[in-house]
Amino acid sequence: MTDWLIPVLAGAATGVLSGFGVGGGSLLLIYLTSFAGLPQDQAQGVNLLYFLPTAGAALPAHFKNGYVDKAALLPAILTGLAATALAAWAATALDTGVLRRCFGAFLLLIGLRELFRREPPAPGAEQSPR
Amino acid sequence: MSKRGTESNKLWCAAAGGAAGLVNGFFGGGGGMVLVPLLAGKCGLGQRRAFATSVAVIAPLCALSAGIYYLRGGLDPAAALPYLIGGLVGGLVGGRVFRQVSMVMLRRVFALLILYGAYKALV
């Protein structure tokens, strides 16, 4: 039972953040590798799959509330698909220990950036779009 | 905001998507952490729009990457199943309460959790 319960709870907790678009996936990766004991590449695979239902559940509300910028979608997705295919291929070819070190360095950069970010977002930027 | 819809803006969106794709495919996640600041800083999207739009951009990238991971042996769908169920519930909640969340607090808490992960991976 707890074999299932803890993973479902971990997915739900990080899923709220993922639904926001704030890197819940990175938190789930940390959980999967540091607590659930998955190898880095397996954890990354699980995390990719996990984002599909999570995003699928959050997106209708985002579209309905008018928060999705449709003009930005197509160019970003097109180059994103090409880049992600290359990177996924590279990651699955790499030694998992090396991959884990790279992941740690990435987290360190992101964490420091977020911690020392100066300006809170301008009030005008928070407004709902037309 | 005046830049929206111009050609240079489209190029920035494409560049942002490419950068997010590299990160997302290589680390199996984290694309949003690259994409959100670029959408907000270079593509003229407001903070909240940048977050929501990044979810819509990252989702198809994850689908493609997951397929590649699966074909190359980096993914066990059975191990993923409980996380998918949890993620579905969390995503539903996240989408609904998104309007009421303080962005600043969110970032601070998030930063500390991420730094903890960096510590676990590096030390």
Side-chain angles (χ1 to χ4, degrees):
Chain A
M1 183 61 200
T2 48
D3 287 4
W4 267 74
L5 188 63
I6 304 291
V8 169
L9 289 178
T14 57
V16 177
L17 290 173
S18 280
F20 294 160
V22 213
S26 309
L27 296 182
L28 184 60
L29 275 175
I30 294 167
Y31 170 80
L32 289 171
T33 52
S34 297
F35 295 97
L38 259 65
Q40 186 72 26
D41 61 333
Q42 292 289 329
Q44 296 190 182
V46 166
N47 192 53
L48 286 166
L49 206 56
Y50 142 92
F51 195 68
L52 300 180
T54 310
L59 277 174
H62 288 328
F63 273 104
K64 190 171 137 262
N65 293 331
Y67 286 130
V68 178
D69 190 298
K70 296 194 182 75
L73 285 184
L74 190 65
I77 288 174
L78 285 181
T79 52
L81 285 175
T84 211
L86 270 175
W89 185 86
T92 46
L94 211 62
D95 174 72
T96 53
V98 175
L99 196 58
R100 179 142 180 81
R101 292 276 151 162
C102 295
F103 179 62
F106 173 68
L107 290 180
L108 185 61
L109 284 177
I110 294 290
L112 290 176
R113 183 194 75 189
E114 294 298 309
L115 197 62
F116 294 112
R117 177 185 294 269
R118 293 218 169 244
E119 80 292 24
E126 293 276 344
Q127 274 166 14
S128 201
R130 287 154 290 172
Chain B
M1 278 297 191
S2 58
K3 281 201 306 178
R4 273 191 45 201
T6 65
E7 283 306 308
S8 86
N9 199 29
K10 280 226 174 78
L11 280 179
W12 271 117
C13 289
L22 283 180
V23 167
N24 214 67
F26 194 75
F27 296 120
M33 298 205 279
V34 176
L35 188 54
V36 170
L38 286 173
L39 286 177
K42 301 291 184 188
C43 304
L45 269 66
Q47 194 68 231
R48 220 166 266 272
R49 276 173 84 78
F51 280 108
T53 303
S54 90
V55 178
V57 173
I58 300 289
L61 308 191
C62 284
L64 178 62
S65 298
I68 293 171
Y69 272 66
Y70 178 71
L71 290 176
R72 292 172 60 83
L75 170 60
D76 172 12
L81 192 59
Y83 297 101
L84 304 193
I85 295 166
L88 183 73
V89 176
L92 273 175
V93 174
R96 294 196 179 198
V97 303
F98 182 61
R99 294 217 267 192
Q100 289 111 47
V101 184
S102 154
M103 289 282 144
V104 180
M105 266 313 291
L106 203 60
R107 287 194 167 281
R108 294 276 183 272
V109 173
F110 175 68
L112 293 175
L113 291 169
I114 289 295
L115 285 174
Y116 171 75
Y119 169 78
K120 293 289 279 188
L122 291 173
V123 181

